[in-house]
Amino acid sequence: MGDRGQDTLRRDKKIGPYLVGTILGKGGFGDVWLAIEVATGKKVAVKKMSLENQSRAMVEQEVSALRRCGIHPNVGTLIEVLWVKPDAENRNTEAYLVMELATGGGMFERLVSEGAYTEKLASAMMQQVARAIYHLHSRGIIHRDIKPENIVFQTAEPGSEVQVIDFGTA
Ligand code: PIT
């Protein structure tokens, strides 16, 4: 991955089998962290969804949309959902969405840091986004918030494939 946030916001918190490290990005309803599965060394992205800011129904709606997505190269893939009960009453107060990791950062940030890119690259990215949308629609899912902030690059390379993320309004 890039070196964004290497020294800041590190908290090395354990969530189930994962050790949570640096922040990858901030989203409307939760932050996304880099994490590592301790037993295997597999790196993943973990989105924390607090039930303080949103209802359980909203979280479940997002999870069910993600599950229905299945596996597509241009859609962020859900691995599992962890419910954490940090309070004494033992209620589920935090959900963690464990996703396949995309290490290239967000399209929004890349637009800001690199300015314009070539028509060839733009058309390749748009084709991938269109494929993702086609796949989602074929499964009865409407994303409803396609924008650069919700598109991430699989790797840091200029021609990296892109993935649509954030099913919070799907
Ligand atoms: C990554 C890398 C990254 C952000 C994400 C994944 C975000 C994933 C995500 C966020 C959502 C959602 C589904 C997936 O509903 O920088 O690998 O709000």
Side-chain angles (χ1 to χ4, degrees), residues 134-153:
Y134 183 86
H135 170 77
L136 296 175
H137 289 187
S138 75
R139 291 184 161 237
I141 302 158
I142 308 174
H143 186 282
R144 300 204 308 151
D145 201 16
I146 299 284
K147 57 183 178 182
E149 290 89 331
N150 288 339
I151 296 170
V152 293
F153 290 90

PDB file of all heavy atoms in Angstrom, residues 134-153:
ATOM      1  N   TYR A 134     -23.348  -2.613 -14.100  1.00  0.00           N
ATOM      2  CA  TYR A 134     -24.117  -3.625 -14.830  1.00  0.00           C
ATOM      3  C   TYR A 134     -24.271  -4.879 -13.965  1.00  0.00           C
ATOM      4  O   TYR A 134     -25.366  -5.452 -13.859  1.00  0.00           O
ATOM      5  CB  TYR A 134     -23.408  -3.957 -16.148  1.00  0.00           C
ATOM      6  CG  TYR A 134     -24.163  -4.928 -17.005  1.00  0.00           C
ATOM      7  CD1 TYR A 134     -25.154  -4.487 -17.882  1.00  0.00           C
ATOM      8  CD2 TYR A 134     -23.898  -6.304 -16.939  1.00  0.00           C
ATOM      9  CE1 TYR A 134     -25.864  -5.368 -18.661  1.00  0.00           C
ATOM     10  CE2 TYR A 134     -24.604  -7.199 -17.716  1.00  0.00           C
ATOM     11  CZ  TYR A 134     -25.579  -6.733 -18.580  1.00  0.00           C
ATOM     12  OH  TYR A 134     -26.283  -7.606 -19.344  1.00  0.00           O
ATOM     13  N   HIS A 135     -23.177  -5.277 -13.342  1.00  0.00           N
ATOM     14  CA  HIS A 135     -23.208  -6.460 -12.470  1.00  0.00           C
ATOM     15  C   HIS A 135     -24.195  -6.251 -11.305  1.00  0.00           C
ATOM     16  O   HIS A 135     -25.016  -7.118 -11.015  1.00  0.00           O
ATOM     17  CB  HIS A 135     -21.802  -6.738 -11.934  1.00  0.00           C
ATOM     18  CG  HIS A 135     -21.758  -7.768 -10.858  1.00  0.00           C
ATOM     19  ND1 HIS A 135     -21.856  -9.126 -11.119  1.00  0.00           N
ATOM     20  CD2 HIS A 135     -21.667  -7.661  -9.513  1.00  0.00           C
ATOM     21  CE1 HIS A 135     -21.807  -9.790  -9.984  1.00  0.00           C
ATOM     22  NE2 HIS A 135     -21.695  -8.931  -8.984  1.00  0.00           N
ATOM     23  N   LEU A 136     -24.107  -5.081 -10.681  1.00  0.00           N
ATOM     24  CA  LEU A 136     -24.993  -4.800  -9.538  1.00  0.00           C
ATOM     25  C   LEU A 136     -26.454  -4.804  -9.980  1.00  0.00           C
ATOM     26  O   LEU A 136     -27.304  -5.418  -9.326  1.00  0.00           O
ATOM     27  CB  LEU A 136     -24.634  -3.456  -8.897  1.00  0.00           C
ATOM     28  CG  LEU A 136     -23.238  -3.370  -8.259  1.00  0.00           C
ATOM     29  CD1 LEU A 136     -22.955  -1.956  -7.778  1.00  0.00           C
ATOM     30  CD2 LEU A 136     -23.096  -4.366  -7.119  1.00  0.00           C
ATOM     31  N   HIS A 137     -26.741  -4.134 -11.100  1.00  0.00           N
ATOM     32  CA  HIS A 137     -28.129  -4.067 -11.563  1.00  0.00           C
ATOM     33  C   HIS A 137     -28.653  -5.450 -11.906  1.00  0.00           C
ATOM     34  O   HIS A 137     -29.823  -5.766 -11.649  1.00  0.00           O
ATOM     35  CB  HIS A 137     -28.244  -3.123 -12.767  1.00  0.00           C
ATOM     36  CG  HIS A 137     -28.069  -1.677 -12.381  1.00  0.00           C
ATOM     37  ND1 HIS A 137     -28.268  -0.637 -13.257  1.00  0.00           N
ATOM     38  CD2 HIS A 137     -27.713  -1.111 -11.199  1.00  0.00           C
ATOM     39  CE1 HIS A 137     -28.036   0.511 -12.631  1.00  0.00           C
ATOM     40  NE2 HIS A 137     -27.697   0.247 -11.386  1.00  0.00           N
ATOM     41  N   SER A 138     -27.772  -6.302 -12.462  1.00  0.00           N
ATOM     42  CA  SER A 138     -28.214  -7.661 -12.814  1.00  0.00           C
ATOM     43  C   SER A 138     -28.569  -8.453 -11.562  1.00  0.00           C
ATOM     44  O   SER A 138     -29.294  -9.442 -11.628  1.00  0.00           O
ATOM     45  CB  SER A 138     -27.133  -8.385 -13.616  1.00  0.00           C
ATOM     46  OG  SER A 138     -26.085  -8.791 -12.768  1.00  0.00           O
ATOM     47  N   ARG A 139     -28.067  -8.001 -10.404  1.00  0.00           N
ATOM     48  CA  ARG A 139     -28.382  -8.663  -9.141  1.00  0.00           C
ATOM     49  C   ARG A 139     -29.429  -7.888  -8.331  1.00  0.00           C
ATOM     50  O   ARG A 139     -29.621  -8.158  -7.144  1.00  0.00           O
ATOM     51  CB  ARG A 139     -27.117  -8.841  -8.322  1.00  0.00           C
ATOM     52  CG  ARG A 139     -26.205  -9.860  -8.966  1.00  0.00           C
ATOM     53  CD  ARG A 139     -24.991 -10.153  -8.153  1.00  0.00           C
ATOM     54  NE  ARG A 139     -24.433 -11.425  -8.593  1.00  0.00           N
ATOM     55  CZ  ARG A 139     -24.234 -12.473  -7.791  1.00  0.00           C
ATOM     56  NH1 ARG A 139     -24.525 -12.396  -6.517  1.00  0.00           N
ATOM     57  NH2 ARG A 139     -23.723 -13.576  -8.258  1.00  0.00           N
ATOM     58  N   GLY A 140     -30.035  -6.913  -8.965  1.00  0.00           N
ATOM     59  CA  GLY A 140     -31.102  -6.181  -8.296  1.00  0.00           C
ATOM     60  C   GLY A 140     -30.623  -5.159  -7.277  1.00  0.00           C
ATOM     61  O   GLY A 140     -31.377  -4.755  -6.394  1.00  0.00           O
ATOM     62  N   ILE A 141     -29.363  -4.712  -7.405  1.00  0.00           N
ATOM     63  CA  ILE A 141     -28.823  -3.737  -6.457  1.00  0.00           C
ATOM     64  C   ILE A 141     -28.604  -2.406  -7.178  1.00  0.00           C
ATOM     65  O   ILE A 141     -27.984  -2.371  -8.247  1.00  0.00           O
ATOM     66  CB  ILE A 141     -27.468  -4.215  -5.881  1.00  0.00           C
ATOM     67  CG1 ILE A 141     -27.628  -5.568  -5.193  1.00  0.00           C
ATOM     68  CG2 ILE A 141     -26.877  -3.177  -4.927  1.00  0.00           C
ATOM     69  CD1 ILE A 141     -26.335  -6.338  -5.084  1.00  0.00           C
ATOM     70  N   ILE A 142     -29.108  -1.329  -6.592  1.00  0.00           N
ATOM     71  CA  ILE A 142     -28.841   0.015  -7.119  1.00  0.00           C
ATOM     72  C   ILE A 142     -27.928   0.711  -6.119  1.00  0.00           C
ATOM     73  O   ILE A 142     -28.284   0.870  -4.952  1.00  0.00           O
ATOM     74  CB  ILE A 142     -30.149   0.834  -7.294  1.00  0.00           C
ATOM     75  CG1 ILE A 142     -31.166   0.024  -8.104  1.00  0.00           C
ATOM     76  CG2 ILE A 142     -29.848   2.160  -7.974  1.00  0.00           C
ATOM     77  CD1 ILE A 142     -32.516   0.704  -8.201  1.00  0.00           C
ATOM     78  N   HIS A 143     -26.745   1.089  -6.564  1.00  0.00           N
ATOM     79  CA  HIS A 143     -25.742   1.660  -5.647  1.00  0.00           C
ATOM     80  C   HIS A 143     -26.177   3.034  -5.139  1.00  0.00           C
ATOM     81  O   HIS A 143     -26.072   3.322  -3.951  1.00  0.00           O
ATOM     82  CB  HIS A 143     -24.392   1.746  -6.366  1.00  0.00           C
ATOM     83  CG  HIS A 143     -23.260   2.191  -5.494  1.00  0.00           C
ATOM     84  ND1 HIS A 143     -23.075   3.515  -5.145  1.00  0.00           N
ATOM     85  CD2 HIS A 143     -22.271   1.508  -4.869  1.00  0.00           C
ATOM     86  CE1 HIS A 143     -22.013   3.617  -4.354  1.00  0.00           C
ATOM     87  NE2 HIS A 143     -21.501   2.407  -4.174  1.00  0.00           N
ATOM     88  N   ARG A 144     -26.604   3.902  -6.022  1.00  0.00           N
ATOM     89  CA  ARG A 144     -27.161   5.226  -5.725  1.00  0.00           C
ATOM     90  C   ARG A 144     -26.154   6.273  -5.256  1.00  0.00           C
ATOM     91  O   ARG A 144     -26.549   7.398  -4.909  1.00  0.00           O
ATOM     92  CB  ARG A 144     -28.315   5.147  -4.694  1.00  0.00           C
ATOM     93  CG  ARG A 144     -29.477   4.278  -5.162  1.00  0.00           C
ATOM     94  CD  ARG A 144     -30.761   4.635  -4.486  1.00  0.00           C
ATOM     95  NE  ARG A 144     -30.615   4.659  -3.046  1.00  0.00           N
ATOM     96  CZ  ARG A 144     -31.328   5.422  -2.249  1.00  0.00           C
ATOM     97  NH1 ARG A 144     -32.249   6.224  -2.752  1.00  0.00           N
ATOM     98  NH2 ARG A 144     -31.135   5.384  -0.958  1.00  0.00           N
ATOM     99  N   ASP A 145     -24.869   5.935  -5.245  1.00  0.00           N
ATOM    100  CA  ASP A 145     -23.899   6.954  -4.827  1.00  0.00           C
ATOM    101  C   ASP A 145     -22.555   6.740  -5.530  1.00  0.00           C
ATOM    102  O   ASP A 145     -21.499   6.777  -4.898  1.00  0.00           O
ATOM    103  CB  ASP A 145     -23.739   6.919  -3.304  1.00  0.00           C
ATOM    104  CG  ASP A 145     -23.180   8.223  -2.745  1.00  0.00           C
ATOM    105  OD1 ASP A 145     -23.191   9.247  -3.467  1.00  0.00           O
ATOM    106  OD2 ASP A 145     -22.706   8.217  -1.588  1.00  0.00           O
ATOM    107  N   ILE A 146     -22.618   6.530  -6.848  1.00  0.00           N
ATOM    108  CA  ILE A 146     -21.387   6.351  -7.626  1.00  0.00           C
ATOM    109  C   ILE A 146     -20.715   7.720  -7.785  1.00  0.00           C
ATOM    110  O   ILE A 146     -21.330   8.655  -8.307  1.00  0.00           O
ATOM    111  CB  ILE A 146     -21.698   5.758  -9.023  1.00  0.00           C
ATOM    112  CG1 ILE A 146     -22.359   4.388  -8.891  1.00  0.00           C
ATOM    113  CG2 ILE A 146     -20.427   5.692  -9.880  1.00  0.00           C
ATOM    114  CD1 ILE A 146     -21.459   3.244  -8.532  1.00  0.00           C
ATOM    115  N   LYS A 147     -19.493   7.832  -7.295  1.00  0.00           N
ATOM    116  CA  LYS A 147     -18.728   9.080  -7.384  1.00  0.00           C
ATOM    117  C   LYS A 147     -17.272   8.742  -7.061  1.00  0.00           C
ATOM    118  O   LYS A 147     -16.995   7.653  -6.540  1.00  0.00           O
ATOM    119  CB  LYS A 147     -19.278  10.117  -6.382  1.00  0.00           C
ATOM    120  CG  LYS A 147     -19.277   9.645  -4.934  1.00  0.00           C
ATOM    121  CD  LYS A 147     -19.902  10.691  -4.012  1.00  0.00           C
ATOM    122  CE  LYS A 147     -19.941  10.192  -2.574  1.00  0.00           C
ATOM    123  NZ  LYS A 147     -20.583  11.150  -1.660  1.00  0.00           N
ATOM    124  N   PRO A 148     -16.331   9.651  -7.405  1.00  0.00           N
ATOM    125  CA  PRO A 148     -14.908   9.329  -7.204  1.00  0.00           C
ATOM    126  C   PRO A 148     -14.582   8.884  -5.772  1.00  0.00           C
ATOM    127  O   PRO A 148     -13.728   8.030  -5.563  1.00  0.00           O
ATOM    128  CB  PRO A 148     -14.191  10.636  -7.563  1.00  0.00           C
ATOM    129  CG  PRO A 148     -15.093  11.293  -8.538  1.00  0.00           C
ATOM    130  CD  PRO A 148     -16.503  10.945  -8.095  1.00  0.00           C
ATOM    131  N   GLU A 149     -15.260   9.452  -4.784  1.00  0.00           N
ATOM    132  CA  GLU A 149     -15.010   9.086  -3.384  1.00  0.00           C
ATOM    133  C   GLU A 149     -15.302   7.615  -3.120  1.00  0.00           C
ATOM    134  O   GLU A 149     -14.782   7.040  -2.168  1.00  0.00           O
ATOM    135  CB  GLU A 149     -15.888   9.918  -2.442  1.00  0.00           C
ATOM    136  CG  GLU A 149     -15.519  11.390  -2.349  1.00  0.00           C
ATOM    137  CD  GLU A 149     -16.222  12.247  -3.403  1.00  0.00           C
ATOM    138  OE1 GLU A 149     -16.540  11.732  -4.501  1.00  0.00           O
ATOM    139  OE2 GLU A 149     -16.431  13.438  -3.123  1.00  0.00           O
ATOM    140  N   ASN A 150     -16.174   7.028  -3.935  1.00  0.00           N
ATOM    141  CA  ASN A 150     -16.583   5.641  -3.707  1.00  0.00           C
ATOM    142  C   ASN A 150     -15.974   4.668  -4.708  1.00  0.00           C
ATOM    143  O   ASN A 150     -16.508   3.591  -4.965  1.00  0.00           O
ATOM    144  CB  ASN A 150     -18.112   5.535  -3.715  1.00  0.00           C
ATOM    145  CG  ASN A 150     -18.715   6.155  -2.463  1.00  0.00           C
ATOM    146  OD1 ASN A 150     -18.036   6.307  -1.459  1.00  0.00           O
ATOM    147  ND2 ASN A 150     -19.978   6.536  -2.532  1.00  0.00           N
ATOM    148  N   ILE A 151     -14.855   5.102  -5.281  1.00  0.00           N
ATOM    149  CA  ILE A 151     -14.115   4.220  -6.191  1.00  0.00           C
ATOM    150  C   ILE A 151     -12.675   4.156  -5.698  1.00  0.00           C
ATOM    151  O   ILE A 151     -12.054   5.187  -5.429  1.00  0.00           O
ATOM    152  CB  ILE A 151     -14.183   4.751  -7.639  1.00  0.00           C
ATOM    153  CG1 ILE A 151     -15.647   4.724  -8.119  1.00  0.00           C
ATOM    154  CG2 ILE A 151     -13.299   3.920  -8.574  1.00  0.00           C
ATOM    155  CD1 ILE A 151     -15.896   5.438  -9.428  1.00  0.00           C
ATOM    156  N   VAL A 152     -12.159   2.932  -5.539  1.00  0.00           N
ATOM    157  CA  VAL A 152     -10.774   2.769  -5.077  1.00  0.00           C
ATOM    158  C   VAL A 152      -9.980   1.965  -6.110  1.00  0.00           C
ATOM    159  O   VAL A 152     -10.544   1.204  -6.893  1.00  0.00           O
ATOM    160  CB  VAL A 152     -10.687   2.071  -3.690  1.00  0.00           C
ATOM    161  CG1 VAL A 152     -11.264   2.957  -2.606  1.00  0.00           C
ATOM    162  CG2 VAL A 152     -11.374   0.704  -3.699  1.00  0.00           C
ATOM    163  N   PHE A 153      -8.665   2.183  -6.087  1.00  0.00           N
ATOM    164  CA  PHE A 153      -7.772   1.459  -6.994  1.00  0.00           C
ATOM    165  C   PHE A 153      -7.232   0.217  -6.297  1.00  0.00           C
ATOM    166  O   PHE A 153      -6.827   0.285  -5.126  1.00  0.00           O
ATOM    167  CB  PHE A 153      -6.605   2.361  -7.418  1.00  0.00           C
ATOM    168  CG  PHE A 153      -7.017   3.479  -8.332  1.00  0.00           C
ATOM    169  CD1 PHE A 153      -7.405   4.709  -7.814  1.00  0.00           C
ATOM    170  CD2 PHE A 153      -7.025   3.306  -9.709  1.00  0.00           C
ATOM    171  CE1 PHE A 153      -7.796   5.747  -8.652  1.00  0.00           C
ATOM    172  CE2 PHE A 153      -7.414   4.328 -10.550  1.00  0.00           C
ATOM    173  CZ  PHE A 153      -7.799   5.552 -10.030  1.00  0.00           C
TER     174      PHE A 153
END
